[in-house]
Amino acid sequence: MATEAPCYTVVFEDTTESPSTQELRASLEKGSDEDRLDALRRIIVSTINGNPQPTLLMPIIQYIMPSKNKQLKKLLHFYWEVCPKYDENGKLKQEMILVVNAIRNDLQHPNEYIRGATLRFLQKISKDAELLEPLIPTCRSCLEHRHSYVRKNAVFAVYTIYREYEHLIPDAPELMQTFIAAESDATCKRNAFVFLAHCAMPKAVEWLISVYDQLTSLDELLQMSIIEVIRLDCKNDTTHRPRYIRCMFELLNSSSHAVKYEAATTLTTLTQNPAAVKGMFTVRSTAASCFVNLVIKESDNNVKLIVLDWLDTLRSKHVHILDGLTMDVLQVLSSADMEVRRKAMSIVLSMTSSRNVEEVVLFLKKQLQRTQEREFEKAPEYRQLLIQSIHVLAVKFSEVAANVVHALMEFLGDSNNASALDVVAFVREVVEKFPHLRPSICDKLTQTLTEIKSGKTFRGVLWILGEYVEGLSDIQATFQEIRKVLGEIPILASEQRLLDEAGGDEEVKEEKKVEGGGRPKVLADGTYATETAYTSAGSARLEAVKAASKPPLRALILGGDFFTGSVLASTLTKLVLRFDDLTEDRPKANALRAESMLIMTSIIRVGQSKFVTVPIDEDSNERILNCIQTLSELQDKSVVHDIFLKDTKAAYSKMLVAQEKKAAEKKESESTQDRIVQVDDLLTFRQFSKKSADDPIDYVEDLGKATGIAEVREDFISNLSRISQLTGFSDPIYAEAYVKMHGFDIMLDVLLVNQTPNTLQNLCLDFATLGDLKLVERPVVYTIAPHGFQSIKATIKVSSTETGVIFGSILWEGPALSECCVILNDIHIDIMDYIKPAYCSEAQFRNMWTEFEWENRVNVSTNMSDPRDYLKHVMKSTNMSCLTPEGAMSGDCDFLSANMYARSLFGEDALANLSIEKTEAGIVGHVRIRSKTQGIALSLGDRITMSQKDNKPSI
């Protein structure tokens, strides 16, 4: 008898239409083949779901087993697999003798399909030795059948039987060795070779050496099996390793992409001997070249990503192997998938050196021009990726910065705002790091002002011009270009004149009353009313003036973008201050100062008029007024001059230094040092060593990790903290549950204790869920002895990061068949097990903050006195990471604003913004949480609220 019952999938069974046992028996006896198929299918589903119906076993043997219908025979195999074959004493049922006889007849059937299907069925009942033993001679005879379908299934049938009960076929390895030597069919050979690889490795290696010269002509499946055998054999101290390396070289020329990939992967792991580095350099270079060709030729994007991941691993382990393949990897950018492009580009950026940077940049510039010349799918995203990559290379290799900066500035007027912003960030960094390029870059920027369309781009360009335009002639040229993009000054007077010329001033005062035609309208209270519309020709004229073509910067200001207007005021102030320091021509300096103050005043006045879409905001108004005040007191306050001319540039320089330091620390932590092996170094044991890129691939070990077999066990205290009490100590049944989070599943291990002196029969533990939780198993009925124990396991699937609740009850039969019940305490699922800290760029955070529609605002209520301590407390309680740099939060200040980010196991993004202020009454403020789904926003808000309550001191 099998030691444990096999596991099957629970299939939904509609109990409302389920026929009775008598009706099923009648269908089996007298029904047609269609009726019998339906009845047998219902019996199988019922058996899988825990209702075996043993009384129908003999009718199935009598009426279904003799049938010649192939569908019935196939379904019958499913039934024999799931039906109970042993009686209560663990002995084989007498009826199964008839079943064994029928199976033997099918194994001798003249139809090769029935023989093959029966041999496949034997693999499913390989744990039932009593059933298999009488079938062994017949099964062995199928190895000599004329049809390959029968032979290949016979090989695997022998394999499964030998693996479970070696004594039933003790000479199976010798049998397979003889079989594979005489076999001509490729699939049969492959199956026999797999048998030898797992049951008799020396014989598999012996056969492999015998066909060494024919490897390239073998079937693809057989080649894959050969690669697997080489991996397994190389785990041991084999003498055939050099020959195996030559085998892999041969298989790199296979026509199958799968074989190429596996051969290249195996080739990189065949040696870890540092003394053989020179020889293995060629090996790994060949493998890397094969990977690159696979990525270029393979059409499946998933395969491309997998191969690129392996290529990246190989590059990180052996830095110079891919040096000659950089331009080949660039060919992968021809793929239409953006994920493939991003992955390939990251590899290229890490491979680029001073020797090939010019070729790489030239290729990227050509790709950039291609995206501009003709539009194709995802062209803006690709253009943005190219700009970011050129940015990285230009900053890293100063010799190419001058060649690319002017080419990239052509994209400042790009309709894709993200690409233009990337160009601004690039130019800003280049102009700071390379002072000799500043004059030409600033000159080019002033010329492109008329082409810029975006307010964000304008703000970045204006800041650069305000900081780095230094010569007198350059300042005057910049003022001239700003006049062009701003239009006639004052703005309000010129707009009013346009309105007057259009005749709008007279008609603003006239309003024409038009009575609504048609039937009267019925109001909510039942009364009648007519509609009256007021139209103004003057309003139409005003709208026409607003919609008229205007210079780009003027259009932005009239459209309500006064933040850009405040940046313009700051830029003009810096230029005037610098011009005043450099020149001795006071009339010119005063003229520029007066013009700048006129522009700023004009922005404020038009912001308070009817010509703008929205009125000017208080912050922008105050900032522009500060600039006006600075220019009006030009010689009075030198401190303010230093703030405008020195402090802002110094702050940006400090930010760049901090970014470089952070990038250097990250690179240092990721870099792998060359290891020199000494003669007295310790030997490496695979079981005790960490897995690296060159380790032999062990799929058994990887499978164990994936299924959690090799998972690190938690300590005892951690396990105790996960126990939830479900019932009281005075209840008839005491229940407690150990809640374990395992990937996307919640494992409940429930312990039931019968606290009564009576036997509890037909006891059922019934769970229900609230939220995105789903039960996997159906309830099972138990019987618990007096003062006995029962352990019950339940699995619940989790589909999203939302606070879930598990509730339920325990039902059993009491005295006189009365139903007794105990309601369980609720189990609240902690979503923090599914949320992990993550990082993203500031631009990505802002984009997601704009896109996400669900927001949860939590008011701060805490007894903490330090804002930074409260930030750490929120980060700890929500598993979120802080995106705001430490330097931005340093210093002594009573205000704190920080951005936080986390990602769930289900790929959900969670954003948070903390804005707090330290007052005499304590910390006040709020936390705003945004996400794409409502559940995670509410769950994180509840988590913060609960953590604030837990942190308060007890009174």
Side-chain angles (χ1 to χ4, degrees):
M1 178 182 177
T3 56
E4 58 182 13
C7 176
Y8 305 107
T9 304
V10 178
V11 182
F12 174 72
E13 181 180 11
D14 190 358
T15 55
T16 57
E17 301 179 1
S18 179
S20 64
T21 303
Q22 295 299 327
E23 291 173 341
L24 289 173
R25 182 191 292 268
S27 297
L28 294 175
E29 291 180 6
K30 303 176 182 178
S32 62
D33 283 350
E34 292 297 327
D35 295 335
R36 289 178 174 178
L37 279 170
D38 183 65
L40 190 55
R41 192 176 291 110
R42 290 179 181 274
I43 293 170
I44 292 172
V45 172
S46 177
T47 303
I48 290 174
N49 289 342
N51 185 18
Q53 300 187 6
T55 57
L56 295 177
L57 179 59
M58 276 310 296
I60 291 174
I61 293 175
Q62 287 178 334
Y63 303 109
I64 304 298
M65 206 161 62
S67 174
K68 295 182 179 180
N69 186 293
K70 291 184 176 61
Q71 286 183 309
L72 274 176
K73 280 188 175 295
K74 185 68 177 176
L75 212 55
L76 197 59
H77 289 164
F78 287 125
Y79 178 71
W80 298 139
E81 183 183 346
V82 301
C83 75
K85 307 174 187 63
Y86 299 89
D87 57 21
E88 296 177 354
N89 299 322
K91 295 183 179 180
L92 193 69
K93 291 182 178 180
Q94 296 295 324
E95 295 91 335
M96 298 310 294
I97 298 175
L98 299 174
V99 175
V100 171
N101 187 52
I103 294 173
R104 185 191 296 112
N105 292 336
D106 285 343
L107 288 175
Q108 298 172 342
H109 202 281
N111 187 307
E112 60 272 6
Y113 168 77
I114 293 178
R115 277 204 190 197
T118 308
L119 287 165
R120 289 171 63 88
F121 162 68
L122 290 185
Q123 302 172 37
K124 304 292 182 65
I125 60 169
S126 59
K127 291 185 180 294
D128 299 307
E130 294 183 54
L131 285 177
L132 293 172
E133 191 170 3
L135 303 174
I136 298 300
T138 314
C139 185
R140 292 180 63 135
S141 65
C142 289
L143 290 170
E144 302 173 0
H145 194 271
R146 59 179 176 79
H147 203 284
S148 61
Y149 179 74
V150 177
R151 296 198 303 274
K152 72 178 183 181
N153 284 301
V155 170
F156 271 164
V158 171
Y159 170 45
T160 52
I161 295 171
Y162 180 80
R163 186 179 57 191
E164 295 294 335
Y165 303 103
E166 188 175 331
H167 66 278
L168 293 180
I169 317 180
D171 61 336
E174 291 77 13
L175 184 65
M176 284 299 125
Q177 190 177 23
T178 307
F179 175 84
I180 196 173
E183 182 57 54
S184 58
D185 183 75
T187 309
C188 296
K189 275 187 176 182
R190 179 255 179 187
N191 291 1
F193 186 66
V194 169
F195 175 97
L196 293 176
H198 289 87
C199 300
M201 178 60 78
K203 297 184 183 300
V205 172
E206 182 183 341
W207 182 82
L208 174 58
I209 300 303
S210 67
V211 297
Y212 177 76
D213 297 329
Q214 309 168 21
L215 279 181
T216 54
S217 61
L218 296 177
D219 182 72
E220 174 187 347
L221 289 175
L222 189 53
Q223 288 177 340
M224 295 286 283
S225 300
I226 288 172
I227 294 173
E228 177 64 21
V229 166
I230 290 175
R231 284 187 186 139
L232 293 173
D233 194 34
C234 284
K235 288 182 182 180
N236 307 315
D237 189 14
T238 177
T239 59
H240 301 296
R241 191 180 296 268
R243 188 171 290 183
Y244 288 158
I245 293 175
R246 289 196 293 274
C247 284
M248 293 301 103
F249 269 113
E250 293 290 334
L251 292 178
L252 287 178
N253 300 319
S254 172
S255 59
S256 168
H257 287 182
V259 174
K260 283 183 180 179
Y261 173 76
E262 293 296 336
T265 305
T266 305
L267 197 57
T268 62
T269 63
L270 283 182
T271 182
Q272 293 82 45
N273 183 6
V277 168
K278 290 185 178 179
M280 289 310 296
F281 186 86
T282 306
V283 172
R284 295 191 176 106
S285 298
T286 308
S289 178
C290 180
F291 282 139
V292 173
N293 291 332
L294 277 177
V295 177
I296 296 173
K297 295 178 182 179
E298 180 59 47
S299 58
D300 191 336
N301 290 328
N302 293 319
V303 175
K304 287 178 183 283
L305 289 172
I306 291 171
V307 178
L308 283 172
D309 278 333
W310 191 264
L311 196 63
D312 193 26
T313 304
L314 190 63
R315 178 207 56 79
S316 62
K317 186 66 178 176
H318 306 283
V319 181
H320 300 295
I321 281 182
L322 303 180
D323 284 353
L325 299 174
T326 305
M327 300 308 295
D328 294 329
V329 177
L330 281 172
Q331 300 301 321
V332 182
L333 294 177
S334 59
S335 172
D337 186 74
M338 283 305 301
E339 286 299 321
V340 175
R341 284 172 170 169
R342 288 193 186 96
K343 188 67 180 176
M345 189 67 80
S346 67
I347 295 174
V348 168
L349 292 179
S350 60
M351 292 163 53
T352 307
S353 62
S354 56
R355 288 174 292 181
N356 58 9
V357 62
E358 293 184 359
E359 295 179 0
V360 173
V361 169
L362 181 61
F363 181 88
L364 296 181
K365 285 171 66 176
K366 288 181 179 178
Q367 290 290 309
L368 199 57
Q369 292 171 359
R370 180 168 162 263
T371 63
Q372 198 174 19
E373 291 169 358
R374 61 187 185 90
E375 287 294 327
F376 51 88
E377 188 180 0
K378 296 184 178 179
E381 294 181 44
Y382 185 38
R383 188 181 306 132
Q384 185 180 359
L385 176 65
L386 291 170
I387 292 172
Q388 291 172 349
S389 304
I390 294 175
H391 178 182
V392 173
L393 292 175
V395 173
K396 188 176 179 181
F397 304 98
S398 57
E399 61 267 24
V400 299
N403 297 331
V404 299
V405 65
H406 291 283
L408 286 186
M409 281 194 284
E410 299 291 337
F411 294 91
L412 284 172
D414 194 355
S415 57
N416 182 20
N417 191 27
S419 299
L421 289 177
D422 286 332
V423 174
V424 170
F426 165 63
V427 173
R428 185 172 56 196
E429 189 169 352
V430 169
V431 82
E432 169 63 27
K433 289 189 173 182
F434 309 112
H436 64 282
L437 297 177
R438 288 176 186 175
S440 61
I441 291 177
C442 291
D443 183 56
K444 180 68 175 177
L445 283 178
T446 54
Q447 295 174 15
T448 56
L449 280 176
T450 55
E451 302 172 5
I452 299 175
K453 304 179 181 66
S454 162
K456 289 184 178 180
T457 310
F458 253 120
R459 293 196 288 271
V461 171
L462 287 173
W463 186 89
I464 295 172
L465 293 175
E467 293 293 342
Y468 299 102
V469 174
E470 296 172 346
L472 291 174
S473 59
D474 294 336
I475 292 175
Q476 290 177 326
T478 304
F479 260 93
Q480 187 176 353
E481 292 299 323
I482 289 176
R483 292 187 197 106
K484 291 180 182 178
V485 295
L486 200 54
E488 186 181 349
I489 300 296
I491 302 176
L492 179 59
S494 60
E495 293 294 316
Q496 184 65 47
R497 190 179 71 253
L498 288 175
L499 183 62
D500 294 343
E501 291 174 358
D505 189 42
E506 297 175 1
E507 297 191 21
V508 167
K509 302 173 184 176
E510 281 185 27
E511 288 186 341
K512 190 176 178 182
K513 183 177 177 182
V514 180
E515 295 291 339
R519 299 172 61 183
K521 303 293 182 183
V522 181
L523 301 181
D525 58 356
T527 59
Y528 291 92
T530 57
E531 289 182 332
T532 302
Y534 290 92
T535 62
S536 170
S539 299
R541 300 282 186 183
L542 180 60
E543 293 299 324
V545 170
K546 288 183 180 180
S549 177
K550 295 179 176 62
L553 188 54
R554 187 190 193 96
L556 288 171
I557 293 173
L558 292 175
D561 189 357
F562 292 103
F563 183 25
T564 302
S566 65
V567 175
L568 172 63
S570 177
T571 300
L572 294 176
T573 304
K574 293 174 185 176
L575 293 176
V576 170
L577 291 174
R578 192 172 292 117
F579 189 87
D580 188 74
D581 290 342
L582 295 174
T583 186
E584 295 179 358
D585 189 350
R586 306 320 304 170
K588 265 188 182 177
N590 290 334
L592 275 184
R593 178 167 56 155
E595 183 180 1
S596 300
M597 294 174 70
L598 178 61
I599 292 173
M600 298 178 204
T601 310
S602 176
I603 294 173
I604 293 177
R605 289 199 62 198
V606 79
Q608 299 168 348
S609 69
K610 62 187 175 183
F611 292 99
V612 294
T613 307
V614 291
I616 187 170
D617 57 284
E618 186 178 346
D619 290 340
S620 299
N621 187 38
E622 184 177 353
R623 190 176 180 191
I624 296 174
L625 286 175
N626 287 337
C627 293
I628 295 174
Q629 185 178 3
T630 301
L631 292 181
S632 65
E633 303 170 354
L634 198 59
Q635 305 296 333
D636 297 342
K637 298 180 179 179
S638 60
V639 177
V640 179
H641 297 182
D642 291 342
I643 292 174
F644 275 101
L645 297 180
K646 298 178 182 178
D647 291 356
T648 52
K649 188 188 295 185
Y652 179 63
S653 301
K654 190 182 294 184
M655 187 186 80
L656 286 182
V657 171
Q659 289 178 352
E660 290 175 357
K661 183 179 178 183
K662 189 175 181 181
E665 291 175 353
K666 183 179 179 182
K667 184 177 180 180
E668 185 179 354
S669 63
E670 293 177 352
S671 63
T672 55
Q673 298 179 352
D674 294 336
R675 291 172 295 175
I676 302 175
V677 180
Q678 304 294 338
V679 293
D680 57 347
D681 274 356
L682 297 177
L683 295 176
T684 301
F685 292 90
R686 180 178 56 84
Q687 290 84 348
F688 306 137
S689 63
K690 292 184 179 180
K691 195 174 182 70
S692 65
D694 290 340
D695 286 342
I697 299 171
D698 191 342
Y699 286 121
V700 177
E701 180 184 343
D702 292 343
L703 182 62
K705 288 180 180 178
T707 54
I709 296 174
E711 193 173 351
V712 178
R713 296 185 179 274
E714 295 181 345
D715 58 359
F716 181 68
I717 299 299
S718 177
N719 288 341
L720 289 180
S721 65
R722 294 180 176 273
I723 293 178
S724 301
Q725 184 177 339
L726 302 181
T727 63
F729 291 109
S730 60
D731 288 321
I733 298 178
Y734 173 75
E736 64 181 23
Y738 168 61
V739 184
K740 171 68 175 175
M741 306 294 180
H742 184 76
F744 301 112
D745 299 337
I746 300 175
M747 316 294 292
L748 295 181
D749 190 351
V750 184
L751 174 65
L752 302 181
V753 182
N754 181 5
Q755 302 191 107
T756 67
N758 305 318
T759 301
L760 303 182
Q761 295 183 348
N762 295 329
L763 182 141
C764 178
L765 176 62
D766 191 11
F767 281 119
T769 59
L770 186 65
D772 287 339
L773 306 176
K774 292 182 181 179
L775 287 166
V776 177
E777 295 97 349
R778 60 181 296 170
V780 180
V781 177
Y782 298 93
T783 299
I784 305 180
H787 303 290
F789 297 82
Q790 180 66 50
S791 180
I792 302 175
K793 289 180 170 52
T795 305
I796 296 173
K797 286 284 183 185
V798 185
S799 56
S800 73
T801 311
E802 183 178 348
T803 300
V805 180
I806 303 173
F807 56 94
S809 60
I810 302 176
L811 304 172
W812 72 93
E813 287 184 3
L817 298 180
S818 62
E819 187 177 83
C820 301
C821 176
V822 172
I823 304 299
L824 305 178
N825 293 332
D826 296 345
I827 302 175
H828 293 267
I829 302 304
D830 189 2
I831 65 164
M832 291 303 106
D833 292 313
Y834 295 98
I835 293 180
K836 303 298 179 187
Y839 294 91
C840 66
S841 65
E842 182 182 355
Q844 291 172 329
F845 183 90
R846 291 182 182 276
N847 289 336
M848 288 188 288
W849 187 268
T850 306
E851 293 173 5
F852 292 172
E853 55 185 6
W854 290 105
E855 178 173 321
N856 187 12
R857 179 175 173 140
V858 181
N859 292 324
V860 174
S861 174
T862 180
N863 62 327
M864 293 183 178
S865 57
D866 189 353
R868 292 176 184 79
D869 290 343
Y870 183 76
L871 172 63
K872 294 177 182 176
H873 173 70
V874 172
M875 290 168 58
K876 182 179 179 182
S877 59
T878 58
N879 283 355
M880 302 187 86
S881 60
C882 182
L883 301 181
T884 306
E886 186 66 30
M889 298 185 292
S890 60
D892 187 12
C893 183
D894 292 338
F895 297 91
L896 177 63
S897 179
N899 294 330
M900 294 174 286
Y901 177 61
R903 177 181 280 267
S904 72
L905 293 180
F906 307 96
E908 300 166 317
D909 296 302
L911 313 176
N913 173 258
L914 173 69
S915 299
I916 53 178
E917 177 185 1
K918 182 181 178 182
T919 63
E920 295 179 357
I923 295 178
V924 296
H926 56 265
V927 183
R928 296 169 64 193
I929 305 164
R930 284 197 181 184
S931 65
K932 189 173 287 187
T933 57
Q934 183 183 18
I936 190 170
L938 294 177
S939 301
L940 284 174
D942 295 341
R943 180 72 181 182
I944 294 175
T945 304
M946 293 299 297
S947 68
Q948 291 183 150
K949 290 180 180 179
D950 295 341
N951 195 53
K952 287 187 176 180
S954 57
I955 300 174

